[in-house]
């Protein structure tokens, strides 16, 4: 162990493996003076406790060949307590529930003493004076504030991935993080606050690869991926880029480019299909079928998002409490057009609220889905004369990688050498479009840096013919509303911009100073109130 964070991680893993439902962590002096982890788990029996601080004397692997390849516990190397005793002064008090009296162990270096004590069922491990006898290592420790920040983040991750437990982190006698048993949404509330918790959606998918947890609604994003959390068989991990990318791809065009969601996803795989023994701190695991796991994650996220209406709320005219849109049936509501604004926006009413629809974004979404449906409906069109196009080095590399896939949906591009490519066929649905620079746009999208070239091509081509400002009238507005209602994913344009915004009558009433009948919660506000009531704990 090289720092207090390592001690906390190993002791928490041991507590989880012991089946604890309550885990309390106490720190003093940034963990260098004291680290204490108390749990109510199964404890260590008096007949084997003398081996607890002996190196490699683990009780978590079956005594059979190949057991290390079927690891089902978090701490399995048998080094945690021994390593803590090498780094500081170890004190352990433990008692199984059925045992009368607790066993007590003191260990420092290779010296181990045994004793008896009175204690509740469970285990308490205290490590004092970390690295006091190792001055070189002590001098290289991070400042206490920096170490505490990372330990708090680590405990927060355990809370997110084990939300059904009671957790408490105390720092120098002050509670730093407290969590009562809840679901993943409650864990997000404990770690990131209730406003974030009200903007997450449940993810649940079974099968050989289980996926369970929450992802944020599209309006809750960050520029960094620091709130994308994964665990494998209960172990919080540093996620490989493939898993992070799978989550982002599950949002498709609901997520703007460069944005990352909040997610907490627990993955369950067969013990033989993962190896947790590839990193000294066990933060990285090797998956036998990483591509298959990523595909399962992508499907689960997409399915969760598809079940909820994802219209974004109009910015409030005043500052009422932030509402939480309660999921209904996932379908687009029945809207009635009541007017136009600036020949670009549709004003409609439905479900007790006022809706503002960006006609360009809505029309773009409808065209995008129509092109997607028609893409494979007819045979590709052979160009009378193949067109030569200049390619960048990146585009040429993409062509070599994707040529077969592109040809599968009717786009034949051949490397012609000297930085040129020859465009021979186009999908029939695209060939008929009246779009400037049609061939060039198709090739740019097909050979771009995006993970889904077909979506990139269709998104670019749907934008050009979509209604622009000044082109809208009442008749076209009715057609756009009808087309949007028929879309599979009506809530965002292919580039991630919202198609609809929603304003409740109550917001308007507050803005105009109305009280009384018009102050009754309806529509979005009523949904928000019911959602908040469901998430309130008993007794409040």
């Amino acid at each position: 162990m090289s720092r207090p964070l390592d001690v906390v991680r190993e002791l928490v893993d041991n507590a989880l493996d012991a089946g604890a439902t309550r885990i309390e962590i106490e720190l003093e002096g940034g963990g260098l003076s004291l680290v204490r982890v108390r749990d109510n788990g199964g404890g260590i029996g008096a007949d084997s406790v003398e081996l607890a601080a002996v190196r490699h004397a683990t009780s978590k692997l079956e005594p059979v060949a190949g057991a290390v390849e079927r690891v089902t516990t978090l701490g399995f190397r048998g080094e945690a307590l021994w390593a803590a005793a090498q780094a500081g002064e170890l004190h352990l008090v433990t008692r199984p529930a059925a045992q009368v009296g607790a066993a007590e162990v003191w260990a420092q270096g290779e010296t181990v003493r045994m004793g008896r004590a009175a204690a509740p069922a469970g285990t308490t491990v205290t490590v004092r004076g970390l690295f006091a006898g190792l001055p070189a290592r002590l001098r290289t420790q991070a400042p206490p504030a920096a170490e505490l920040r990372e330990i708090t983040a680590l405990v927060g991750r355990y809370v997110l991935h084990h939300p059904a437990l009671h957790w408490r982190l105390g720092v120098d006698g002050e509670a730093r993080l407290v969590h009562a048993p809840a679901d993943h949404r409650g864990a997000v509330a404990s770690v990131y606050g209730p406003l974030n918790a009200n903007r997450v959606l449940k993810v649940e998918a079974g099968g050989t690869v289980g996926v369970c947890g929450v992802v944020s609604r599209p309006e809750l994003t960050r520029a960094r991926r620091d709130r994308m959390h994964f665990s494998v068989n209960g172990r919080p991990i540093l996620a490989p880029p493939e898993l992070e990318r799978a989550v982002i791809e599950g949002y498709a065009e609901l997520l703007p480019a460069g944005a990352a969601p909040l997610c907490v996803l627990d993955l369950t795989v067969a013990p033989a299909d993962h190896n947790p023994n590839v990193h000294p701190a066990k933060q990285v695991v090797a998956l036998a079928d990483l591509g298959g796991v990523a595909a399962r994650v992508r499907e689960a996220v997409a399915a969760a998002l598809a079940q909820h209406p994802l219209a974004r709320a109009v910015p409030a005219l005043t500052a009422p409490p932030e509402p939480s849109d309660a999921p209904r049936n996932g379908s687009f509501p029945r809207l009635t057009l009541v007017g136009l604004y600036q020949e670009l926006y549709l004003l409609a009413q439905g479900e007790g609220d006022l809706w503002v629809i960006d006609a360009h974004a809505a029309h773009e979404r409808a065209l995008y889905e129509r092109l997607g449906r028609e893409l494979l409906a007819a045979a590709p069109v052979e160009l009378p004369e193949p067109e030569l196009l200049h390619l960048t080095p990146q585009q040429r590399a993409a062509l070599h990688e994707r040529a077969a896939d592109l040809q599968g949906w009717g786009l034949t591009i051949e490397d012609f050498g000297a930085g040129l490519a020859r465009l021979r066929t186009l999908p029939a649905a695209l060939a008929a479009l009246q779009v400037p620079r049609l061939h060039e746009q198709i090739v740019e999208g097909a050979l771009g840096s995006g993970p889904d070239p077909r979506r990139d091509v269709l998104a670019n081509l749907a934008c050009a013919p979509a209604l622009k400002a000044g082109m809208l009238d009442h008749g076209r507005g009715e057609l756009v509303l009808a087309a949007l209602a028929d879309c599979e994913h009506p809530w965002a344009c292919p580039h991630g911009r919202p198609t609809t915004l929603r304003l409740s009558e109550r917001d308007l009433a507050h803005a105009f100073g109305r009280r009384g009948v018009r102050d009754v919660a309806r529509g979005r506000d009523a949904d928000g109130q019911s959602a908040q009531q469901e998430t309130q704990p008993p007794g409040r």
Side-chain angles (χ1 to χ4, degrees):
M1 295 185 183
S2 60
R3 55 189 296 195
L5 180 78
D6 298 333
V7 178
V8 172
R9 179 188 293 111
E10 294 288 354
L11 296 183
V12 169
D13 281 352
N14 284 351
L16 291 170
D17 285 339
T21 61
R22 184 183 187 94
I23 299 176
E24 300 179 3
I25 304 138
E26 298 176 30
L27 305 170
E28 294 179 8
L32 293 173
S33 299
L34 177 141
V35 174
R36 177 177 291 129
V37 176
R38 180 184 296 112
D39 69 68
N40 64 347
I44 305 173
D47 56 342
S48 58
V49 71
E50 62 182 350
L51 299 175
V54 177
R55 192 177 193 185
H56 301 313
T58 183
S59 62
K60 300 180 184 181
L61 291 177
E62 300 176 20
V64 296
V68 74
E69 298 176 1
R70 299 185 299 276
V71 172
T72 59
T73 57
L74 302 180
F76 57 87
R77 294 177 182 152
E79 291 183 342
L81 298 180
W82 173 84
Q86 304 304 305
E89 180 184 342
L90 175 73
H91 180 219
L92 175 121
V93 179
T94 183
R95 179 174 79 84
Q99 178 178 295
V100 177
E104 197 168 14
V105 178
W106 293 268
Q108 188 167 18
E110 302 301 329
T111 302
V112 179
R113 292 187 295 114
M114 301 291 301
R116 303 288 292 175
T123 301
T124 300
V125 182
T126 304
V127 181
R128 298 180 184 273
L130 266 177
F131 312 124
L134 302 168
R137 182 166 294 182
L138 184 62
R139 285 195 299 270
T140 60
Q141 293 300 303
E147 189 73 6
L148 289 174
R149 183 173 62 250
E150 294 199 36
I151 292 175
T152 303
L154 174 69
V155 175
R157 294 203 62 195
Y158 277 106
V159 171
L160 292 170
H161 294 296
H162 296 274
L165 279 58
H166 178 100
W167 295 87
R168 183 184 185 279
L169 170 63
V171 176
D172 296 326
E174 177 185 349
R176 181 67 61 89
L177 175 60
V178 177
H179 170 74
D183 57 8
H184 284 94
R185 184 190 298 270
V188 172
S190 295
V191 177
Y192 292 125
L195 289 181
N196 286 312
N198 282 337
R199 290 175 172 80
V200 297
L201 307 174
K202 185 177 181 181
V203 178
E204 191 165 9
T208 54
V209 177
V211 182
C212 177
V214 292
V215 294
S216 61
R217 293 172 60 92
E219 65 265 25
L220 180 60
T221 60
R222 294 172 61 79
R224 296 186 296 165
R225 299 182 180 183
D226 56 339
R227 292 189 180 178
M228 298 182 70
H229 303 296
F230 299 82
S231 73
V232 174
N233 293 359
R235 181 190 306 281
I237 65 168
L238 295 176
E242 290 85 351
L243 293 184
E244 295 180 339
R245 190 160 55 245
V247 172
I248 292 174
E249 290 174 1
Y251 280 79
E253 58 275 2
L254 289 174
L255 205 63
L262 180 156
C263 73
V264 179
L265 295 177
D266 297 331
L267 312 182
T268 305
V269 301
D273 288 342
H274 89 297
N275 180 9
N277 201 25
V278 296
H279 190 277
K282 297 176 290 186
Q283 297 181 83
V284 177
V285 299
L287 295 170
D289 183 16
L290 179 56
V293 173
R296 185 62 174 154
V297 168
R298 182 166 52 249
E299 293 168 2
V301 171
L305 293 168
Q307 295 174 12
H308 299 275
L310 298 174
R312 307 185 191 185
V314 170
L317 301 179
T318 58
E322 189 66 33
S324 171
D325 293 340
R328 284 180 284 274
N329 59 7
S331 63
F332 195 75
R334 183 182 299 275
L335 299 180
T336 302
L337 184 63
V338 297
L340 310 177
Y341 176 65
Q342 297 289 24
E343 297 183 294
L344 178 60
Y345 302 100
L346 306 176
L347 306 180
Q349 62 181 10
E351 298 185 340
D353 292 332
L354 174 67
W355 296 68
V356 183
I357 298 94
D358 183 327
H360 174 79
H363 192 202
E364 189 178 340
R365 161 52 65 178
L367 290 174
Y368 170 81
E369 294 201 5
R370 193 198 75 193
L371 291 174
R373 291 191 297 269
E374 296 175 353
L375 191 63
L376 302 178
V381 175
E382 186 95 17
L383 295 183
E385 294 183 6
E387 182 173 355
L388 288 179
L389 300 167
H390 286 276
L391 299 185
T392 67
Q394 292 80 6
Q395 288 175 328
R396 290 188 65 190
L399 176 59
H400 293 159
E401 178 184 359
R402 302 174 180 174
D405 291 337
L406 300 179
Q407 193 166 8
W409 46 274
L411 183 60
T412 304
I413 307 174
E414 298 174 340
D415 191 345
F416 199 66
L420 297 174
R422 183 167 57 181
L423 179 63
R424 290 187 51 198
T425 68
L426 292 174
L430 307 186
L433 292 176
Q434 300 297 316
V435 175
R437 301 172 46 248
L438 175 64
H439 296 172
E440 190 175 337
Q441 287 201 55
I442 291 175
V443 171
E444 286 177 357
L447 303 181
S449 59
D452 189 340
R454 178 162 63 174
R455 187 172 70 203
D456 292 342
V457 168
L458 298 185
N460 290 341
L461 296 182
C463 181
L467 290 170
K468 306 295 191 299
M471 300 172 60
L472 190 63
D473 57 28
H474 198 88
R476 287 176 173 172
E478 293 280 10
L479 293 175
V480 168
L481 269 186
L484 189 62
D486 288 337
C487 288
E488 184 178 359
H489 299 289
W491 307 106
C493 83
H495 298 99
R497 293 194 303 106
T499 56
T500 59
L501 298 176
R502 188 176 180 185
L503 179 64
S504 72
E505 184 181 7
R506 197 181 195 194
D507 284 343
L508 289 173
H510 283 182
F512 286 110
R514 288 182 176 272
R515 295 294 182 267
V517 175
R518 292 300 183 183
D519 198 38
V520 176
R522 300 184 178 86
R524 193 188 78 190
D525 287 329
D527 293 343
Q529 281 195 354
S530 61
Q532 290 175 0
Q533 290 171 0
E534 290 175 3
T535 58
Q536 283 292 332
R540 290 193 179 181

